[in-house]
């Protein structure tokens, strides 16, 4: 019986290469930073923390080759013709939706119902309650980004994966653009994001059609 219990426990908790405990949820690793949610150890589309992963336009769940308004899922070819997630008539058809639903969440669609994209408030909590430090060469991998360390000693790494605009990835290795679930209230063609580079890690916003990184969270 003792042996069976040990096997069952190993399905849920493992020791990462860094030595900290991680929890296996739907085949993906989560770490407890002592916050309101647990954070994934890597981006959607990545197999390890230092991989950039895939890029997603806000409210889209698949990566693509070209990112612009012309092929954005929820508009008619321009920033003023939004067909979903619109609060102001100047931007399109008003539906009052401000937060991503599960069907439009790249984390949920790709990793399963246990996972979702963080809200702006959850990212703010991460930055406020953890120590954030820019690493120009994380663990001698040559990958720059932010190591975010919690008071309990656990941490995550957010690589500076750049962002995808038109037909190419820009600023990879220099800057990171991480999506949140939250629409910009006054500029509905934008959604809130977190931008990080050597000088800062802070809340910002990006055009919805930009391809951004997604770092999932899961409930505690």
């Amino acid at each position: 019986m003792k042996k069976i219990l040990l096997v069952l426990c190993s399905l849920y908790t493992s020791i990462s290469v860094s030595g900290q405990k991680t929890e296996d949820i739907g085949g993906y690793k989560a770490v407890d930073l002592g916050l309101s949610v647990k954070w994934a150890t890597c981006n959607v589309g990545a197999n390890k923390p230092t991989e950039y992963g895939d890029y997603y336009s806000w409210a889209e769940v698949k990566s693509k080759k070209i990112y612009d308004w012309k092929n954005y899922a929820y508009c008619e070819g321009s920033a003023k013709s939004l067909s979903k997630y619109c609060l102001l008539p100047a931007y399109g058809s008003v539906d009052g939706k401000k937060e991503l639903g599960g069907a439009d969440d790249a984390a949920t669609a790709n990793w399963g119902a246990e996972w979702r994209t963080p809200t702006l408030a959850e990212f703010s909590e991460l930055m406020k309650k953890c120590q954030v430090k820019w690493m120009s060469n994380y663990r001698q991998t040559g990958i720059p980004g932010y190591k975010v360390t919690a008071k309990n000693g656990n941490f995550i790494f957010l690589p500076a994966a750049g962002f995808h605009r038109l037909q190419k990835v820009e600023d990879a290795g220099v800057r990171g653009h991480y999506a949140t679930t939250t629409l910009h209230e006054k500029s509905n063609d934008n959604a809130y994001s977190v931008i990080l580079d050597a000088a800062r890690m802070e809340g910002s916003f990006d055009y919805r059609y930009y391809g951004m990184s997604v770092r999932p969270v899961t409930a505690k």
Side-chain angles (χ1 to χ4, degrees):
M1 175 64 82
K2 184 176 180 180
K3 187 174 182 179
I4 293 174
L5 289 173
L6 288 172
V7 171
L8 289 174
C9 286
S10 69
L11 294 175
Y12 294 95
T13 304
S14 62
I15 303 298
S16 69
V17 175
S18 65
Q20 65 180 339
K21 290 184 178 180
T22 59
E23 184 177 355
D24 190 303
I25 300 177
Y28 302 95
K29 303 293 185 184
V31 62
D32 188 351
L33 299 174
L35 305 175
S36 60
V37 292
K38 294 180 181 179
W39 285 75
T41 59
C42 63
N43 294 342
V44 177
N47 295 310
K48 56 185 179 180
T50 51
E51 289 184 357
Y52 292 162
D54 295 325
Y55 302 86
Y56 298 90
S57 293
W58 194 78
E60 293 188 2
V61 299
K62 293 182 180 180
S63 59
K64 51 194 180 183
K65 293 183 178 180
I66 300 175
Y67 292 75
D68 61 15
W69 286 121
K70 293 179 181 178
N71 72 346
Y72 179 61
Y74 297 116
C75 76
E76 300 300 325
S78 74
K80 305 299 183 181
S81 60
L82 299 175
S83 58
K84 192 174 185 180
Y85 298 104
C86 185
L87 305 177
L88 303 170
Y91 289 95
S93 301
V94 174
D95 59 8
K97 295 181 183 292
K98 181 183 174 181
E99 297 286 338
L100 283 181
D104 302 319
D105 189 318
T108 306
N110 289 279
W111 281 20
E114 300 94 340
W115 295 97
R116 59 175 174 80
T117 299
T119 64
L120 179 62
E122 288 162 348
F123 250 121
S124 297
E125 178 189 39
L126 180 77
M127 294 184 288
K128 181 179 180 180
K129 295 186 177 180
C130 295
Q131 178 188 58
V132 296
K133 184 178 181 180
W134 175 259
M135 312 289 285
S136 60
N137 183 15
Y138 179 68
R139 292 178 173 263
Q140 305 304 308
T141 60
I143 305 299
Y146 269 88
K147 182 180 180 181
V148 182
T149 306
K151 292 180 180 179
N152 62 14
N154 290 338
F155 64 88
I156 59 172
F157 176 69
L158 299 169
F163 68 104
H164 205 305
R165 178 168 57 179
L166 301 179
Q167 300 183 50
K168 66 178 183 178
V169 176
E170 300 182 17
D171 293 338
V174 177
R175 182 176 293 111
H177 292 242
Y178 282 80
T180 80
T181 63
T182 311
L183 180 71
H184 195 293
E185 306 93 329
K186 295 182 179 180
S187 299
N188 297 169
D189 54 342
N190 286 269
Y192 286 105
S193 60
V194 168
I195 293 180
L196 54 88
D197 57 29
R200 58 173 178 161
M201 178 178 172
E202 63 184 17
S204 186
F205 52 88
D206 283 292
Y207 283 126
R208 288 165 54 166
Y209 77 81
Y210 280 8
M212 291 180 283
S213 300
V214 175
R215 176 58 63 93
V217 295
T218 188
K220 296 186 74 171

